Amino acid sequence: MDDIHQKLEHLRKQALEGGGSQRIEKQHQQGKLTARERLHLLLDPGTFEEIDMLIVHRTDDFGMGDKKIPGDGVVTGFGLIEGRPVAVFSQDFTVFGGSLGEMHAQKICKIMDTALKNGMPIIGLNDSGGARIQEGVRALAGYADIFYRNVQASGVVPQISAIMGPCAGGAVYSPAMTDFILMTESTSYMFVTGPNVVKAVTNEEVTHAELGGAEVHATKSGVAHLTAKDDLHCISLIRKLLSYLPQNHRLKPPHQPYKPTDELRPRLRNIIPSSPTQPYDMKEIITECVDEGSFFELQENFAPNIVIGFARIGGFVVGIVANQPLALAGVLDVQASRKAARFVRFCDAFNIPLIVFVDVPGFLPGTDQEWNAIILNGAKLLYAFSEATVPRITIITRKAYGGAYDVMNSKHIGADFNYAWPTAEIAVMGARGASEIIFRKEIQHAKDPQAMLLEKERQYAETFANPLIAAQQGFVDEVIDPAFTRHKIIRALDLTKDKNVSLPERKHGNIPL
Ligand code: HXC
């Protein structure tokens, strides 16, 4: 018996030491924490229940038989975050470079299976050299086992991936199938093929950071939802993100108790500029409408012409989708449509009501957009809103033009409450463009074409560039004083909190991917 205890003690000590003090030192020198240090910070103190600490790989090839480190390069288990259970894995770069072999993968699959059965979020802290080269196809099989579970878990429990070191090759596809990706700024990268292969195939010279660093994925590809200056920051962002999410698709997000105070926000009356072409910051409107300090923006620097993020309004967790007139006049383009569509689908899957602020001049014209399938990408957003059964509330602050009016959570595609500010312009297009088309002949033949254009533009604007016609048709439910926007949203959230809508029976829809 003593013998067992001693052996157990020895193995546990080995597991805790991971790849040993030198490799841990190297990890620290690179500005990275170890797998266990990360978990210690992530979970509520004293709540970590580790499993499979003694697992070792089963490979003898390439001298691996002599190198068996208990835990096999990944720490797995369960713990609490703000008192709620989560399943976690944290790859240990000090053990075989955190590389993923058969048993390493089996550990991750086990916590994923438990998370799925018990309805708890899955959080992966990734820091790995990829498929364990010595294990060959068994490592690839391990990845596929994880990919399969990522898909089974999608829409059932929230899945969060933090990239805190290398993540290359097919390994990127597990994070890609999770709901949120966070990347540490100077210590992580993600790519399908690294700089050497890129050089060999395309002759392009590129660094790891240029190819797949956090900045690139936060600005160009949109792969990363959040970036963090270091491990500590990354972990605090994961905890914050989770505070908006339900445990699983059957539950509501964690609403906070809220005491109504004076909900009037007079400042909202002065945000829209007098000129319809002058930009303003939609985030000022969002900030005025949400509970103080609660707006948590995602993908801030990717497709900034649309703003997405979580917030609380009157204690309710909501997902915000908003056109941003400060960037590209708030136009919908390929990237903005894709960004918003995925977010809408996440919110819908996890019972998070959607609040949509609209100031959109339309879809971005041009060959670049058409050739990059703005048709299909714009349709993604249209599809995502149309199929969403969560409470949906729209506020049109200024422009709602053309097809983009329909797409941005219009009444016609199932929104529950649609409000317009008196400054709203709901029309097929802007007054100038419209006048140039429908009054072209009159303008051409006028003595003073410019004066005639201005007059026609004024007439068109007077007729259509306002919210009245839409209100008269019932396409907006009410034209509201901007100062009452927050109050109206809280009332609408309260009225729709038990909304229950089912989609027609089918296997699944066919969103234009
Ligand atoms: C086995 C690995 C490994 C791997 C690293 N190590 N990657 N062992 N399989 N994939 C080991 C190293 O041998 C070393 O062991 C230790 O981890 C640390 O690695 P270093 O190279 O010393 O670290 P560093 O200089 O920081 O470089 C990190 C690295 C580099 C950039 C990740 O190790 C690297 O390029 N690794 C290979 C990456 C790769 O090609 N992976 C396969 C990708 S394809 P010692 O004992 O010396 O400490 C893939 C396919 C997935 O993943 C397919 C899914 C469908």
Side-chain angles (χ1 to χ4, degrees):
M1 199 59 174
D2 277 357
D3 193 31
I4 292 284
H5 279 305
Q6 273 173 8
K7 278 187 183 159
L8 199 53
E9 204 46 46
H10 175 68
L11 291 172
R12 281 195 182 129
K13 193 161 168 278
Q14 268 191 307
L16 293 176
E17 282 167 357
S21 56
Q22 277 186 356
R23 290 191 183 89
I24 291 176
E25 181 60 20
K26 190 174 164 197
Q27 179 90 347
H28 286 159
Q29 276 167 3
Q30 290 174 340
K32 299 198 296 184
L33 297 172
T34 65
R36 286 180 186 279
E37 287 165 345
R38 287 167 177 165
L39 286 179
H40 181 73
L41 290 166
L42 177 67
L43 301 170
D44 295 348
T47 65
F48 184 42
E49 297 291 336
E50 183 169 355
I51 61 165
D52 288 342
M53 192 189 209
L54 306 186
I55 287 241
V56 286
H57 66 73
R58 303 193 290 186
T59 310
D60 289 326
D61 300 321
F62 305 106
M64 287 295 277
D66 304 330
K67 296 186 204 158
K68 298 204 181 202
I69 299 180
D72 203 37
V74 63
V75 185
T76 57
F78 308 91
L80 302 180
I81 293 184
E82 296 295 335
R84 297 189 301 160
V86 291
V88 285
F89 72 85
S90 180
Q91 290 180 313
D92 185 350
F93 194 82
T94 71
V95 177
F96 313 127
S99 60
L100 183 139
E102 175 202 12
M103 300 308 283
H104 178 125
Q106 186 179 299
K107 286 181 69 173
I108 294 175
C109 289
K110 196 193 263 187
I111 59 128
M112 291 179 83
D113 290 341
T114 305
L116 210 56
K117 280 186 229 159
N118 295 282
M120 66 180 91
I122 300 167
I123 303 169
L125 309 183
N126 296 262
D127 188 358
S128 166
R132 189 171 300 159
I133 295 163
Q134 299 89 330
E135 294 202 26
V137 72
R138 288 207 298 276
L140 301 186
Y143 270 117
D145 289 340
I146 296 170
F147 299 159
Y148 179 74
R149 282 166 177 78
N150 285 133
V151 176
Q152 303 309 306
S154 182
V156 181
V157 293
Q159 300 183 78
I160 298 173
S161 300
I163 314 299
M164 307 173 92
C167 184
V172 296
Y173 287 114
S174 172
M177 286 192 291
T178 63
D179 299 304
F180 299 104
I181 296 182
L182 299 89
M183 293 183 74
T184 49
E185 274 158 25
S186 52
T187 45
S188 76
Y189 54 82
M190 290 180 86
F191 38 66
V192 174
T193 47
N196 294 343
V197 179
V198 170
K199 169 80 180 147
V201 176
T202 68
N203 208 24
E204 245 180 310
E205 301 248 10
V206 69
T207 64
H208 284 74
E210 285 164 352
L211 188 60
E215 195 193 332
V216 163
H217 286 309
T219 56
K220 291 186 195 298
S221 71
V223 166
H225 293 84
L226 292 162
T227 64
K229 62 180 190 307
D230 55 23
D231 285 11
L232 196 63
H233 184 211
C234 184
I235 285 162
S236 74
L237 288 173
I238 298 174
R239 289 182 62 99
K240 181 153 190 199
L241 176 57
L242 265 184
S243 73
Y244 295 95
L245 311 185
Q247 287 293 94
N248 59 59
H249 73 110
R250 287 201 198 86
L251 299 178
K252 291 199 168 168
H255 299 321
Q256 280 182 356
Y258 177 74
K259 250 211 211 126
T261 49
D262 182 8
E263 304 299 359
L264 223 60
R265 294 289 187 273
R267 217 178 83 72
L268 289 171
R269 293 185 181 128
N270 305 318
I271 291 179
I272 306 291
S274 51
S275 158
T277 51
Q278 203 178 321
Y280 62 92
D281 188 355
M282 188 61 98
K283 288 188 210 171
E284 281 185 41
I285 293 177
I286 296 170
T287 310
E288 280 291 313
C289 290
V290 304
D291 296 353
E292 203 179 335
S294 73
F295 183 48
F296 185 56
E297 189 172 357
L298 300 168
Q299 291 180 297
E300 185 177 353
N301 298 312
F302 173 72
N305 40 325
I306 205 150
V307 175
I308 58 166
F310 296 113
R312 285 195 176 73
I313 304 189
F316 291 101
V317 171
V318 295
I320 306 265
V321 179
N323 307 117
Q324 172 56 291
L326 275 189
L328 291 173
V331 78
L332 283 178
D333 60 2
V334 167
Q335 294 192 331
S337 304
R338 215 160 43 81
K339 167 180 166 179
R342 186 152 163 80
F343 181 69
V344 166
R345 296 197 99 215
F346 177 84
C347 291
D348 187 44
F350 290 102
N351 312 315
I352 298 174
L354 288 160
I355 313 295
V356 182
F357 292 93
V358 180
D359 186 348
V360 64
F363 283 96
L364 185 62
T367 48
D368 172 66
Q369 290 294 305
E370 297 294 347
W371 295 349
N372 282 296
I374 184 64
I375 295 174
L376 292 182
N377 285 289
K380 280 183 188 135
L381 184 55
L382 177 56
Y383 192 110
F385 272 128
S386 299
E387 74 170 349
T389 57
V390 286
R392 296 198 259 142
I393 299 156
T394 302
I395 297 99
I396 303 176
T397 59
R398 194 168 61 174
K399 294 170 193 154
Y401 288 169
Y405 154 72
D406 282 346
V407 169
M408 287 300 294
N409 205 34
S410 64
K411 196 77 178 166
H412 323 283
I413 61 168
D416 296 290
F417 284 95
N418 295 65
Y419 298 116
W421 286 6
T423 43
E425 303 169 23
I426 305 166
V428 175
M429 60 174 71
R432 168 150 300 204
S435 307
E436 281 169 349
I437 295 169
I438 58 178
F439 304 118
R440 190 176 52 209
K441 286 198 182 119
E442 272 179 79
I443 292 166
Q444 269 171 2
H445 296 126
K447 272 196 194 132
D448 182 347
Q450 192 54 30
M452 179 63 91
L453 173 61
L454 284 176
E455 173 53 20
K456 292 295 181 192
E457 196 180 328
R458 192 195 58 74
Q459 277 176 17
Y460 187 89
E462 209 172 273
T463 315
F464 288 119
N466 60 62
L468 300 182
I469 294 177
Q472 283 163 349
Q473 311 290 312
F475 300 160
V476 298
D477 298 301
E478 195 181 345
V479 179
I480 60 169
D481 175 349
F484 283 88
T485 308
R486 175 177 158 84
H487 168 77
K488 288 283 177 189
I489 296 173
I490 294 175
R491 292 288 298 122
L493 285 170
D494 197 43
L495 286 167
T496 53
K497 67 178 183 298
D498 296 319
K499 181 181 175 187
N500 187 1
V501 172
S502 312
L503 296 173
E505 194 184 329
R506 61 184 137 193
K507 188 169 177 200
H508 60 70
N510 190 12
I511 189 166
L513 293 173

